[in-house]
Amino acid sequence: MMNMNMNPFKNMTYKRTLASILAASLIVGASPAAFGFPAMEKAAAATATAVQTYRVVPQPFIIDDYKYSIPTININGSTYIGIRSLNEKLGLDITWNVNSRTITLDGRGRKLTANPEDGSYVINGQKTYGDPALIYKGSAYVPLRFLLERMGYGISYEKGSKTVVINTIEENELTVALGTIQDNNDKQTLLVNYPVIDDLKDKTVEEKINTFLKQEAESYAAAGQKDLTKATATNAAYIKKNPGTTFPKATFEGVFNVTYNEQGRLSLYVDYYSYLGGAHGMTFRVPYTFDLGNGELLTLKEAADYNSKYLSIINASINKQIKERKLPLIAPFDGIKSNRSFYLKHEGIAIAFEQYEYTSYAEGMPEFVTPFEAFE
């Protein structure tokens, strides 16, 4: 188990990412879409082309062992599904708000609201980002994988039969509430969301995890606030020397996503986004995987079931996926090390590249999942 007082990724990740942010802050004059998460930029682009004609095709599905054929749309490699089908086949409660033009999906202890107009989502009170929902010929469509993974379902694809497989995940008995750290004014915005665990049977473990996650959030928020203050002063000085120049608000945000809540383990990550002035902001990801039996953080080797070849297995898996996806690299992938940050998903162990680590900014943070079966 990893000592929860020692996060080996924290200083390394933040300092490396901060260097990229400060370098980016030397550039000015970008389009408005450049000032959000990378997913926001994708959402803006997709929304702008929402008037396009799409091809609606029947897609074979297996949902909890039952076979269906459901209409879908493929957009840039992502499968979109009509929300009516989610209501009928998965039992999610779907509502459409005519006034706000938003879609709300309710079920499995989650409430997710999608706004097709701006590509945003709100899940259990927290704003998050992904490929936008869309309205096409009077029907609402949502990105399948993005949605289901956040609503507590596993999703896979059988290449032979070209069938999408959806399974209802048996989750640990706990709930995840929203904690926030906020400090806003007319020149800068700081909003860090962090998870608060509740309803865990072992209250000692619950308190241990919550204390740790709150301390982590406070630490990153303090570092972000320091950078915001410095950036605001730097931007003000630049504007004074260059009248007429404008900057969006300096921003530091933290958004969390629970990726795995099974088999006595809880895995999640927090995406910290920082915009300090310049062409665009930067995002870095901080993952955590807990053993709910004792509240300790798991190491990568423990997550890989102590397989002595776990690093070579993961590296081979990543290399294979890079080739299969024809992912353009800006630097050769040289393999991960034992202290690499990771998180769990229903299918396996996930490794995400940092921005500019091996790929361009446009690629975001590519994710690579190595199936649990690979370590057996």
Side-chain angles (χ1 to χ4, degrees), residues 92-251:
L92 296 176
D93 185 20
I94 314 293
T95 57
W96 166 253
N97 189 310
V98 177
N99 296 324
S100 63
R101 293 184 60 79
T102 56
I103 308 157
T104 298
L105 299 93
D106 202 337
R108 308 212 72 207
R110 285 106 159 159
K111 178 176 288 188
L112 186 146
T113 300
N115 187 333
E117 300 292 334
D118 64 8
S120 66
Y121 295 87
V122 175
I123 180 166
N124 289 353
Q126 176 186 225
K127 192 170 184 177
T128 189
Y129 304 92
D131 291 335
L134 63 90
I135 307 298
Y136 184 61
K137 292 186 177 181
S139 296
Y141 291 83
V142 290
L144 183 62
R145 180 175 292 277
F146 170 85
L147 179 80
L148 293 183
E149 287 183 346
R150 283 156 181 77
M151 296 299 289
Y153 296 91
I155 180 171
S156 59
Y157 183 71
E158 293 182 353
K159 291 184 179 179
S161 62
K162 297 182 179 179
T163 300
V164 176
V165 181
I166 299 174
N167 294 301
T168 303
I169 296 173
E170 185 177 344
E171 297 183 305
N172 300 311
E173 292 185 11
L174 59 84
T175 58
V176 182
L178 176 65
T180 61
I181 301 171
Q182 191 168 356
D183 186 8
N184 302 326
N185 57 47
D186 60 342
K187 295 181 180 179
Q188 61 189 48
T189 296
L190 183 144
L191 175 61
V192 171
N193 294 327
Y194 62 92
V196 179
I197 311 305
D198 199 4
D199 297 325
L200 195 63
K201 289 183 179 180
D202 191 325
K203 292 301 177 182
T204 301
V205 170
E206 179 180 288
E207 183 178 0
K208 182 178 181 179
I209 294 174
N210 283 336
T211 299
F212 173 76
L213 288 173
K214 184 178 181 182
Q215 289 175 345
E216 284 283 282
E218 290 172 341
S219 178
Y220 280 105
Q225 182 63 72
K226 183 177 179 181
D227 294 329
L228 288 177
T229 301
K230 182 178 180 180
T232 299
T234 300
N235 293 344
Y238 184 90
I239 291 171
K240 186 175 181 179
K241 292 181 180 179
N242 300 272
T245 303
T246 59
F247 288 92
K249 275 188 179 183
T251 301

Side-chain angles (χ1 to χ4, degrees), residues 21 24-25 27 30 34-36 41 273-282 356 361:
I21 295 171
S25 69
I27 307 170
F35 299 116
E41 299 178 34
Y273 167 79
S274 184
Y275 172 73
L276 305 178
H280 57 70
M282 292 288 292
Y356 291 120
Y361 180 82

Side-chain angles (χ1 to χ4, degrees), residues 3 12 44 47 60 81 153 166 181 193 203 207 209 216 222 240 261 266 294 321 343 348-349 352 369:
N3 186 330
M12 173 186 71
T47 301
I81 186 171
Y153 296 91
I166 299 174
I181 301 171
N193 294 327
K203 292 301 177 182
E207 183 178 0
I209 294 174
E216 284 283 282
K240 186 175 181 179
N261 181 25
L266 178 69
N294 55 24
Q321 292 178 62
Y343 47 97
I349 297 175
V369 178

